[in-house]
């Protein structure tokens, strides 16, 4: 069943089109008083409607409009990019914090109220991530509920640090627990529509292109991250500490990946077609770059991961059909990966290299899929 957290809401034949009498560029003046094709409009009289009458009274118009429920919830992540979900006492699957919008209440106000009632955290959430239309025939609603369909808003709750997480206080009933889940685990924890919506909201937040419109949790205009299913499988942890400069001699090297900058300051990232996993590219023959500069390395218990930076001048045709090439900001790359606390130090080194390459700091915007045939800057 889709998002519900308030017990009150849970317990034609074809016809030929005649040619225009005049060319498109020579439309004559039409006087409704003279042309019988445009009779003057008159107020509808009381009594039976005349044949072809399309006027409606206010009551008739109001009755003709679709009635829908309205809901609001909030997407919150921790510093590791995991999503806050709640356990509730009235259904087995997990939910984002949120619930029904009360009569006359703005959705953003409902989101703030629900988070305060459910988690004890007082804040406001003005930034919308997605607006989802949930159809009336969605499985899971009991017939006596007469579910008419719902418009559900997901707002951005941001990233909560350890202090704010420790401040969570649960109510005496309804919410029985909270935890932070790996994005790829959401489909196993949530109702399918709720999981689709949460992942779409997370991708919309990473892209930073403004609220996305969904229908039953699916974007009406999918972006690259949606099309590729980013975050649908568990991220590979790369949580070693960041060290600038070369790795110690005799270190076991797990990989040598590069931050490759396009002229707009964004970097190349690869998304696996089979899994949606993101990774930085290796220096391969299809990539034409400036001389790479060593940035540093991630030092893990069993080896190191070496990172360099370079300016990207051209892309040849795709040499690895298993991956799709995207341009994204360094922060977006971090959001797609699991790098732990040392991610901030690595990003500082990346931006320092960008400055040395005299490239701009890119604003967050939707990631761009690059053509398979390649391109030159």
């Amino acid at each position: 069943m889709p998002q519900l957290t308030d017990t009150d809401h849970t317990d034609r034949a074809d016809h030929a089109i005649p040619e225009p009498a005049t060319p498109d560029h020579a439309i004559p003046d039409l006087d409704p008083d003279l042309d019988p094709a445009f009779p003057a409009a008159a107020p509808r009289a009381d009594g039976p409607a005349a044949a072809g009458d399309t006027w409606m009274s206010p009551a008739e118009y109001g009755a003709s409009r679709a009635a829908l429920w309205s809901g609001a919830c909030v997407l919150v992540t921790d510093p590791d990019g995991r999503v806050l979900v709640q356990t509730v006492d009235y259904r087995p699957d997990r939910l984002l914090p949120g619930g029904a919008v009360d009569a006359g209440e703005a959705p953003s106000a409902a989101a703030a109220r629900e988070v305060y009632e459910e988690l004890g955290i007082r804040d406001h959430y003005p930034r919308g991530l997605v607006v989802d239309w949930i159809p009336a025939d969605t499985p899971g609603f009991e017939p006596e509920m007469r579910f008419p369909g719902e418009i559900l808003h997901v707002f951005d709750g941001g990233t909560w640090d350890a202090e704010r997480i420790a401040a969570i206080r649960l109510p005496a009933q309804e919410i029985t627990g909270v935890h932070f889940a790996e994005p790829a685990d959401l489909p196993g924890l949530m109702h399918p529509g709720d999981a689709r919506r949460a992942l779409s909201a997370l991708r919309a937040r990473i892209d930073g292109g403004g609220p996305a419109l969904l229908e039953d949790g699916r974007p009406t205009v999918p972006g690259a991250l949606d099309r590729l299913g980013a975050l649908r499988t568990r991220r590979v942890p790369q949580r070693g500490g960041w060290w600038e400069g070369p790795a110690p001699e005799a270190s076991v090297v797990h990989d040598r990946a590069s931050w490759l900058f396009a002229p707009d300051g964004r970097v190349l990232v690869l998304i696996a077609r089979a899994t949606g996993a993101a990774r930085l590219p290796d220096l391969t023959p299809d990539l034409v770059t400036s001389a790479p500069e060593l940035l540093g390395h991630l030092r893990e218990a069993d080896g190191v991961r070496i990172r360099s930076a370079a300016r990207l001048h051209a892309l040849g045709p795709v040499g690895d059909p298993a991956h799709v090439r995207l341009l994204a900001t360094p922060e977006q790359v971090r959001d797609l990966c699991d790098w732990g606390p040392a991610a901030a130090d690595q990003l500082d080194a990346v931006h320092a290299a960008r400055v040395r390459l005299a490239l701009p700091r890119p604003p967050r915007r939707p990631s761009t899929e690059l053509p398979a045939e390649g391109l030159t800057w």
Side-chain angles (χ1 to χ4, degrees):
M1 185 188 301
Q3 178 85 28
L4 291 171
T5 63
D6 296 307
T7 52
D8 290 344
H9 297 273
T10 58
D11 260 7
R12 131 190 109 156
D14 293 330
H15 299 281
I17 300 175
E19 292 293 326
T22 56
D24 290 343
H25 63 276
I27 300 176
D29 293 332
L30 298 177
D31 186 342
D33 294 332
L34 301 178
D35 194 322
F38 294 87
R44 176 176 174 174
D46 292 337
D53 186 5
T54 60
W55 290 85
M56 289 189 290
S57 70
E60 291 170 326
Y61 179 74
S64 74
R65 294 300 300 267
L68 295 171
W69 290 359
S70 182
C73 54
V74 178
L75 180 84
V76 173
T77 55
D78 68 4
D80 292 328
R82 298 175 301 169
V83 177
L84 186 152
V85 292
Q86 302 180 152
T87 305
V88 296
D89 60 10
Y90 53 86
R91 53 186 287 184
D93 45 353
R94 309 296 200 275
L95 298 169
L96 298 182
V101 175
D102 290 343
E105 186 178 33
S108 61
R113 173 181 55 76
E114 288 285 345
V115 171
Y116 178 64
E117 292 175 354
E118 295 176 346
L119 303 179
I121 301 296
R122 191 184 296 276
D123 207 340
H124 68 289
Y125 310 99
R127 181 170 175 245
L129 293 175
V130 301
V131 178
D132 192 9
W133 172 78
I134 304 170
D137 60 356
T138 298
F141 291 95
E142 298 178 5
E144 56 267 30
M145 296 178 72
R146 299 181 180 180
F147 177 61
E150 184 172 21
I151 299 295
L152 199 149
H153 304 253
V154 182
F155 293 91
D156 189 357
T159 298
W160 287 10
D161 59 17
E163 182 179 359
R164 172 157 284 204
I165 294 170
I168 291 174
R169 296 292 181 269
L170 302 184
Q173 59 183 9
E174 186 178 347
I175 312 301
T176 60
V178 297
H179 75 279
F180 287 87
E182 179 68 18
D185 293 342
L186 295 179
L189 297 171
M190 307 178 82
H191 179 278
D194 290 346
R196 288 194 298 270
R197 185 183 314 112
L199 283 170
S200 292
L202 184 56
R203 293 172 188 141
R205 186 169 90 171
I206 292 171
D207 262 345
L213 297 180
L214 312 181
E215 293 182 357
D216 197 18
R218 299 177 177 90
T220 58
V221 182
L225 298 183
D226 297 304
R227 294 194 305 270
L228 297 168
L231 298 171
R232 72 179 187 271
T233 55
R234 292 183 68 87
R235 300 168 298 170
V236 176
Q238 298 181 18
R239 304 173 66 86
W242 175 255
W243 298 74
E244 295 188 1
E249 292 185 15
S251 295
V252 175
V253 178
H254 293 310
D255 62 60
R256 299 174 183 269
S258 294
W259 293 88
L260 303 181
F261 289 92
D264 66 359
R266 292 187 292 171
V267 295
L268 185 65
V269 60
L270 305 181
I271 306 293
R273 294 183 184 275
T275 65
R279 69 174 180 86
L280 292 170
D282 304 321
L283 289 174
T284 52
D286 60 310
L287 305 176
V288 180
T289 73
S290 62
E293 166 194 348
L294 176 66
L295 288 186
H297 59 279
L298 293 165
R299 192 177 299 178
E300 300 171 346
D302 58 348
V304 299
R305 301 178 186 273
I306 296 175
R307 298 292 177 259
S308 60
R311 187 164 186 157
L312 188 60
H313 297 300
L315 293 172
V318 169
D320 175 14
H323 289 84
V324 176
R325 302 180 295 193
L326 302 182
L327 284 184
T329 69
E331 288 73 19
Q332 288 170 322
V333 177
R334 174 205 57 199
D335 291 347
L336 292 168
C337 300
D338 182 10
W339 291 344
D345 295 330
Q346 184 173 180
L347 284 185
D348 287 343
V350 170
H351 283 295
R354 175 187 56 76
V355 171
R356 289 192 294 272
L357 292 169
L359 294 172
R361 185 175 191 122
R364 188 179 289 254
R365 59 182 175 122
S367 51
T368 304
E369 183 173 347
L370 297 174
E373 63 271 19
L375 76 167
T376 300
W377 285 281

